[in-house]
Amino acid sequence: MGIYKSKEGKRQSLALYDMQLKKLNVPFTDIYVKTSFGKTHLVETGNKAGKPLLVFHGGNSITAYNLLMCRFLP
């Protein structure tokens, strides 16, 4: 079960994550990269013709919420 204390906690956390991503109202792609620390999840979104920008979220946040905070980016 990993970081979750219960199956219900995991379900609720993933439901919140999905809800936050839907709030973006933009297309995105889930990407999984194999690293020396294990499988890492990336969310790709934005202008594909623009310069790439890799944004790291803090430990007390999730990617979906962080992307909402970055809406000012063109």
Side-chain angles (χ1 to χ4, degrees):
M1 202 167 346
I3 64 171
Y4 306 99
K5 293 182 180 180
S6 69
K7 288 181 182 179
E8 179 59 18
K10 180 177 181 177
R11 187 198 66 72
Q12 287 181 14
S13 293
L14 294 176
L16 173 62
Y17 183 86
D18 290 340
M19 184 177 72
Q20 291 293 97
L21 277 176
K22 286 179 186 172
K23 283 184 183 179
L24 292 172
N25 203 29
V26 295
F28 65 90
T29 304
D30 288 307
I31 300 172
Y32 293 90
V33 178
K34 192 174 184 178
T35 72
S36 59
F37 296 100
K39 185 169 69 170
T40 300
H41 176 230
L42 304 172
V43 176
E44 180 182 52
T45 188
N47 180 355
K48 305 257 184 191
K51 287 186 176 183
L53 174 66
L54 182 60
V55 179
F56 293 92
H57 63 79
N60 293 326
S61 182
I62 61 171
T63 300
Y65 180 76
N66 197 51
L67 288 171
L68 285 171
M69 300 303 291
C70 293
R71 284 191 157 180
F72 64 90
L73 295 171

